[in-house]
């Protein structure tokens, strides 16, 4: 199907805007973990970004997806854009002012010595929210290159600022030099300069989004807003429950473990979580392309066949990333500092969990297409319940390993429930045989490379990558042929 080629073609372009920035951001992990050798320092970074992910959901409350839903049904797309962005601007201003008003109390509650951490974090959340609808507009207009350009620019500015603060200013300060650069750096802020860098790069992105902003004007049509909120608010519950699954473990470790080890556990777990980043990037890239694509093709005669094939191809690509990361873990581990590698055992668990999450996205998208967003809320709440239950029971004994298994249990359960509900309310005939065969081959290769030749890193790398190459070639030929046949 030409549409499937278009979907994965746009996924690759969105991937450029997600993979390259995320990969460049990923390179900041070695900077932080080698520079801040105490995992407790990096634990602050992991915790703050967990809060950012959580609060981003509250600040945008499902309006991105609501925008896609309504703009595809409207003859006045600019009106939908103006109202969605106007509402986001109003609520973001309100939420931000409330948080800033209580920033000192929040700092004390989180046991942060520097109030600037909280203020810069609020700024990051606010600017992220302000950019949400403009980025949705770019995706809806099918401008993945423009989207990617802005995302890459944002990360490049962020990286340059991180290098400036940590490799220039900190170096001058540590050397005892008295100059402008050394005066900028304060050891009391330390890892907090990563938050300032993010905030400044977001401000830069808002400026270069001007072509999207130039036709915008404040507009509130309460009748339209009511409809959009009615559609979006169940997605807020979905998003919050989803963030509990995705990030709450990095927050809760601080409160379920003894104080003397809690911050270090956060740092170790957060750094090792980064190694599963390629799977997360792929899912995000696919989602950027798939959301407008699924809405656009919903009424096509062969829509369900396209959804089935896109799910199958998604799983195939996901298995390549899963296998490629794991067989190359003996090399990839050096992207984090030595004091963090004790947590590498969580990487296979988290990779598998994130693959389940990606499959869940495919299996559950029908409820957005049919407007039954409350079903997604129930499924995601189930995942959140499993996450919280396992963390509260097992983290005190098994630390972050329990958090990793909680993530896998939550996403795996959501995937299965979404499948059975989908087959009841929006039946799709998936090619089960090919999917299970591809998955079995990937797991067999993983077992051979990591279990039969365990602790022999050199042989694992050679054998694993040879198997991986054959696996990629096999999948490429297979799906190139299938897609050609569908045309």
């Amino acid at each position: 199907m030409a549409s499937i080629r278009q979907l994965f073609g746009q996924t690759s372009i969105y991937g450029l805007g997600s993979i390259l920035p995320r990969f460049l951001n990923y390179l900041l992990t070695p900077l932080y973990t080698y520079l801040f050798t105490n995992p407790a320092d990096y634990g602050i970074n992991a915790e703050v970004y967990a809060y950012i992910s959580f609060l981003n959901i509250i600040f945008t409350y499902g309006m991105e997806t609501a925008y896609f839903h309504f703009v595809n049904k409207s003859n006045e797309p600019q009106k939908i854009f103006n109202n969605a962005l106007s509402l986001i601007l109003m609520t973001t201003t309100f939420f931000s002012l409330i948080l800033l008003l209580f920033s000192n109390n929040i700092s004390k509650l989180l046991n942060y010595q520097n109030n600037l951490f909280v203020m810069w974090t609020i700024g990051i959340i606010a600017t992220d929210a302000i950019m949400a609808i403009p980025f949705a507009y770019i995706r809806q207009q099918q401008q993945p290159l423009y989207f990617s350009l802005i995302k890459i620019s944002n990360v490049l500015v962020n990286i340059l600022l991180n290098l400036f603060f940590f490799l220039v200013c900190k170096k001058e300060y540590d050397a005892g030099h008295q100059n402008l650069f050394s005066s900028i750096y304060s050891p009391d802020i330390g890892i907090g300069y990563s938050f300032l860098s993010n905030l400044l790069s977001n401000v830069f992105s808002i400026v270069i989004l001007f072509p999207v902003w130039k036709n915008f004007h404040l507009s509130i049509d309460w009748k339209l807003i009511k409809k959009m909120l009615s559609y979006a608010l169940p997605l807020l519950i979905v998003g919050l429950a989803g963030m509990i699954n995705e990030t709450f473990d990095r927050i809760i470790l601080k409160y379920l473990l003894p104080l003397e080890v809690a911050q270090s556990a956060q740092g170790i777990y957060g750094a090792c979580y980064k190694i599963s980043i390629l799977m997360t990037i792929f899912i995000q890239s696919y989602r950027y392309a798939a959301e407008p694509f699924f809405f656009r093709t919903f009424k096509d005669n062969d829509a369900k066949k396209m959804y089935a094939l896109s799910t199958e191809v998604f799983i195939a690509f996901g298995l390549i990333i899963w296998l490629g990361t794991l067989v190359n873990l003996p090399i990839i581990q050096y992207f984090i500092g030595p004091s963090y590698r004790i947590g590498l055992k969580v990487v296979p668990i988290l990779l598998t969990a994130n693959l389940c999450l990606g499959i869940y996205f495919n299996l559950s998208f029908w409820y957005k297409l049919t407007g039954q967003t409350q079903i997604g809320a129930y499924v995601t709440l189930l995942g959140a319940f499993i996450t919280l239950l396992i963390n509260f029971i097992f983290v005190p004994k098994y630390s972050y390993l329990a958090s990793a298994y909680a993530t896998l249990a939550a996403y795996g359960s959501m995937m299965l429930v979404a499948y059975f509900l989908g087959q009841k309310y929006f039946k799709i005939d998936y090619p089960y045989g090919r999917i299970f065969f591809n998955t079995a081959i990937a797991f067999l290769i993983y077992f051979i490379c990591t279990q039969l030749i365990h602790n022999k890193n050199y042989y694992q790398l050679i054998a694993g990558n040879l198997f991986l190459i054959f696996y990629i070639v096999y999948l490429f030929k297979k799906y190139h042929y299938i897609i050609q046949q569908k045309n």
Side-chain angles (χ1 to χ4, degrees):
M1 297 177 182
S3 296
I4 292 295
R5 287 203 300 271
Q6 180 189 24
L7 169 61
F8 282 91
Q10 289 195 359
T11 298
S12 66
I13 299 174
Y14 281 118
L16 179 65
S18 297
I19 291 174
L20 185 55
R22 288 287 189 96
F23 179 73
L24 293 172
N25 253 335
Y26 180 54
L27 295 180
L28 289 174
T29 302
L31 174 68
Y32 298 148
T33 57
Y34 280 90
L35 196 62
F36 297 95
T37 55
N38 182 359
D41 292 324
Y42 185 71
I44 296 173
N45 180 278
E47 182 182 13
V48 166
Y49 277 98
Y51 281 118
I52 288 174
S53 297
F54 198 82
L55 288 170
N56 276 341
I57 300 298
I58 296 176
F59 271 61
T60 55
Y61 45 86
M63 285 303 291
E64 289 174 277
T65 306
Y67 169 76
F68 285 127
H69 180 77
F70 284 90
V71 80
N72 281 288
K73 293 184 174 183
S74 174
N75 295 322
E76 300 178 277
Q78 188 63 40
K79 179 181 178 181
I80 303 297
F81 176 79
N82 288 340
N83 277 269
L85 183 52
S86 295
L87 187 62
I88 288 287
L89 287 171
M90 290 169 57
T91 54
T92 296
T93 301
F94 175 76
F95 292 148
S96 299
L97 289 175
I98 294 295
L99 290 174
L100 287 171
L101 183 64
F102 292 99
S103 60
N104 278 324
N105 304 81
I106 296 171
S107 296
K108 293 176 182 177
L109 180 65
L110 296 176
N111 200 28
Y112 294 160
Q113 301 299 316
N114 202 313
N115 186 42
L116 288 174
F117 288 10
V118 173
M119 298 181 70
W120 291 338
T121 299
I122 295 167
I124 293 169
I125 297 163
T127 48
D128 281 344
I130 290 170
M131 291 188 289
I133 301 301
F135 275 127
Y137 171 86
I138 294 170
R139 291 162 58 200
Q140 195 275 331
Q141 293 293 310
Q142 299 185 62
Q143 297 178 320
L145 286 175
Y146 181 37
F147 177 93
S148 298
L149 176 64
I150 298 174
K151 289 286 187 179
I152 292 170
S153 299
N154 176 282
V155 173
L156 287 176
V157 172
N158 187 22
I159 289 172
L160 288 173
L161 287 168
N162 270 277
L163 295 177
F164 172 72
F165 286 127
F166 292 122
L167 296 187
V168 176
C169 298
K170 185 178 187 301
K171 182 179 179 181
E172 291 296 300
Y173 178 88
D174 291 341
H177 297 158
Q178 299 296 320
N179 54 39
L180 175 62
F181 297 133
S182 64
S183 65
I184 292 174
Y185 185 81
S186 169
D188 292 334
I189 296 176
I191 194 71
Y193 286 106
S194 63
F195 313 139
L196 177 59
S197 299
N198 192 339
L199 174 59
L200 294 175
S201 63
N202 275 9
V203 173
F204 171 79
S205 293
I206 289 175
V207 173
I208 61 176
L209 275 168
F210 175 74
V212 178
W213 287 94
K214 65 180 180 180
N215 294 322
F216 165 73
H217 63 270
L218 284 170
S219 176
I220 294 292
D221 180 336
W222 289 111
K223 186 177 180 180
L224 173 61
I225 289 296
K226 184 178 179 180
K227 291 179 180 178
M228 296 182 78
L229 286 173
S230 177
Y231 179 89
L233 288 180
L235 296 176
L236 170 62
I237 299 173
V238 173
L240 288 175
M243 278 302 114
I244 288 175
N245 296 329
E246 185 176 339
T247 65
F248 198 70
D249 48 8
R250 272 154 283 173
I251 296 172
I252 208 170
L253 285 171
K254 183 175 181 177
Y255 303 100
L256 295 179
L257 293 173
L259 185 61
E260 62 272 14
V261 300
Q263 203 87 63
S264 294
Q266 282 181 312
I268 292 169
Y269 185 61
C272 291
Y273 207 109
K274 291 285 187 179
I275 294 179
S276 63
I277 197 70
L278 286 180
M279 185 68 74
T280 307
I281 291 169
F282 171 59
I283 295 170
Q284 185 76 344
S285 304
Y286 177 80
R287 187 176 71 83
Y288 283 151
E291 279 187 329
F293 170 81
F294 286 163
F295 278 116
R296 195 167 57 249
T297 59
F298 178 44
K299 295 183 179 180
D300 291 357
N301 292 330
D302 61 348
K304 288 189 177 182
K305 292 181 180 178
M306 283 193 294
Y307 300 156
L309 183 56
S310 64
T311 300
E312 182 186 0
V313 177
F314 171 88
I315 294 172
F317 275 103
L319 287 169
I320 290 172
I321 295 170
W322 180 86
L323 186 59
T325 303
L326 293 180
V327 298
N328 287 289
L329 196 55
I331 293 177
I332 295 174
Q333 66 173 323
Y334 292 105
F335 276 90
I336 60 176
S339 54
Y340 296 82
R341 294 175 201 155
I342 191 175
L344 286 173
K345 55 184 174 289
V346 304
V347 174
I349 304 167
L350 293 173
L351 274 171
T352 307
N354 282 317
L355 179 58
C356 291
L357 175 63
I359 298 171
Y360 164 75
F361 172 81
N362 281 274
L363 298 178
S364 65
F365 203 84
W366 61 269
Y367 70 74
K368 295 181 182 179
L369 295 172
T370 59
Q372 300 179 70
T373 51
Q374 72 280 1
I375 293 179
Y378 298 145
V379 176
T380 316
L381 283 170
L382 170 66
F385 173 76
I386 293 171
T387 297
L388 293 173
L389 182 67
I390 295 177
N391 272 283
F392 276 110
I393 294 175
F394 295 105
V395 161
K397 184 175 181 180
Y398 298 103
S399 189
Y400 51 79
L401 185 62
S403 295
Y405 277 113
T407 304
L408 176 58
Y411 289 157
S413 299
M414 289 165 58
M415 177 184 70
L416 292 174
V417 171
Y419 168 75
F420 288 112
L421 286 175
Q423 292 305 97
K424 181 178 180 180
Y425 295 107
F426 194 78
K427 184 174 176 58
I428 296 177
D429 294 320
Y430 296 102
Y432 303 104
R434 292 197 300 261
I435 291 173
F436 285 127
F437 182 77
N438 295 341
T439 304
I441 293 297
F443 274 81
L444 178 62
I445 294 173
Y446 168 70
F447 177 78
I448 292 172
C449 295
T450 62
Q451 301 301 317
L452 298 186
I453 50 178
H454 184 58
N455 289 332
K456 298 177 182 178
N457 291 346
Y458 178 74
Y459 297 108
Q460 177 181 328
L461 283 170
I462 295 176
N465 281 288
L466 283 174
F467 279 126
L468 179 63
I469 291 169
F470 283 119
Y471 188 65
I472 292 171
V473 171
Y474 156 73
L475 290 177
F476 175 79
K477 288 184 176 180
K478 181 178 184 177
Y479 288 105
H480 178 73
Y481 173 77
I482 290 173
I483 291 172
Q484 288 293 105
Q485 289 293 103
K486 294 292 183 181
N487 287 325

